[in-house]
Amino acid sequence: MKKILIALGIIIVLAVLYKQSQSGGISLPFMRVHMVNPLPQSSALYQQHQAFVDKFNANDKIIAKFGGTISSKGLFAIQKEMHRRGALTLPRKQIIGENRAMVAMMARLPQPSCAKLARPRDDYDDALTMDVLSALERLPAKHHKSMTDFMYDAMVADVENLPAIPVNQDTYQAALRDLGRTYHGESAEKLMRVFADVNAANDADACWAINSLMTAAEAMPANYTEALMRHSWSK
């Protein structure tokens, strides 16, 4: 579940371009990342997404975190860890809002892209990013804002080294029992089989597994959802 939640959080950050000052090759001290908005100006989400992009590009501490990184995979790894660490500091209301947005968005993804979310990745995927944005364009704008606010606030929390909110272990155990009541028999076996080797699973099964798991988490009491999320990020 940890990999799923992290992946869902970071796909929305989109394309990162390199701006570099150099003389005869790459000069790492002058490397600077710059986020760009891939949405057309005709998109209903263009202005809202541009506000997110502008906040990112204006935050020197966040930009500095990526300084000197010269590969897409390197940027992805840094961002993934920033999301994991920063997400642990955010309040329950924000965690629930992001989870609700993710569930709504996944239901509108093409099956191949939905399946990608269940599989581990170590790099950005432009096609997946655009499918996610397309899905968000078909939803109320509040869902896009929930996801981008969550991502930005997690990055800020990371660079500011804000303290993590601990997992309530009693609530976490109760949430696991709740999941146990949701998955039993054939559905439990299928879920375990898919996630035992999700790369080998077909798209239909991988998409079912992630949709089912995230929907089950969203349907729980809010404190159960929060505990599951926090526990997944804390490992």
Side-chain angles (χ1 to χ4, degrees):
M1 194 169 186
K2 171 186 174 182
K3 292 178 180 178
I4 296 169
L5 297 173
I6 290 175
L8 283 168
I10 64 179
I11 52 177
I12 199 65
V13 170
L14 311 173
V16 179
L17 301 181
Y18 302 99
K19 285 187 173 180
Q20 55 195 32
S21 173
Q22 60 184 68
S23 176
I26 294 176
S27 180
L28 293 180
F30 299 100
M31 204 70 148
R32 182 175 175 86
V33 297
H34 181 79
M35 188 187 294
V36 296
N37 187 347
L39 290 171
Q41 292 189 18
S42 58
S43 170
L45 291 178
Y46 177 83
Q47 292 297 334
Q48 185 166 285
H49 198 79
Q50 189 61 46
F52 165 65
V53 168
D54 291 343
K55 282 196 302 184
F56 178 98
N57 290 332
N59 191 312
D60 289 338
K61 288 185 178 181
I62 291 177
I63 296 297
K65 189 87 173 187
F66 295 94
T69 306
I70 59 174
S71 72
S72 177
K73 287 187 176 182
L75 289 170
F76 188 91
I78 292 170
Q79 189 186 332
K80 181 168 68 173
E81 181 61 11
M82 288 177 76
H83 179 273
R84 187 195 69 79
R85 286 167 51 86
L88 286 168
T89 73
L90 299 182
R92 177 190 298 173
K93 182 178 179 180
Q94 206 164 359
I95 290 173
I96 299 305
E98 191 210 24
N99 191 72
R100 186 171 295 121
M102 291 189 298
V103 169
M105 176 272 294
M106 284 191 295
R108 290 159 176 81
L109 285 178
Q111 190 175 86
S113 284
C114 172
K116 286 179 182 179
L117 294 180
R119 297 176 179 131
R121 295 194 317 283
D122 63 357
D123 204 350
Y124 297 101
D125 184 322
D126 291 342
L128 175 58
T129 292
M130 295 313 297
D131 280 346
V132 166
L133 285 172
S134 177
L136 288 170
E137 284 180 308
R138 301 195 297 276
L139 290 166
K142 66 180 182 180
H143 292 303
H144 172 272
K145 186 163 174 41
S146 290
M147 291 186 72
T148 52
D149 283 354
F150 188 96
M151 188 66 249
Y152 180 77
D153 290 349
M155 289 189 288
V156 169
D158 176 71
V159 298
E160 297 293 346
N161 199 30
L162 298 182
I165 298 173
V167 179
N168 184 309
Q169 292 298 327
D170 289 340
T171 305
Y172 173 65
Q173 292 300 322
L176 290 181
R177 290 192 292 271
D178 195 300
L179 277 180
R181 288 188 289 271
T182 301
Y183 294 101
H184 49 83
E186 185 177 340
S187 65
E189 292 175 5
K190 181 177 180 180
L191 191 72
M192 289 187 291
R193 183 172 65 251
V194 170
F195 283 120
D197 189 0
V198 71
N199 285 324
N202 61 44
D203 284 355
D205 285 349
C207 183
W208 168 83
I210 188 171
N211 258 318
S212 176
L213 185 60
M214 297 305 294
T215 300
E218 198 271 335
M220 290 179 173
N223 60 331
Y224 286 12
T225 306
E226 176 193 14
L228 284 174
M229 294 282 198
R230 290 199 194 283
H231 187 271
S232 73
W233 292 320
S234 66
K235 299 298 181 180

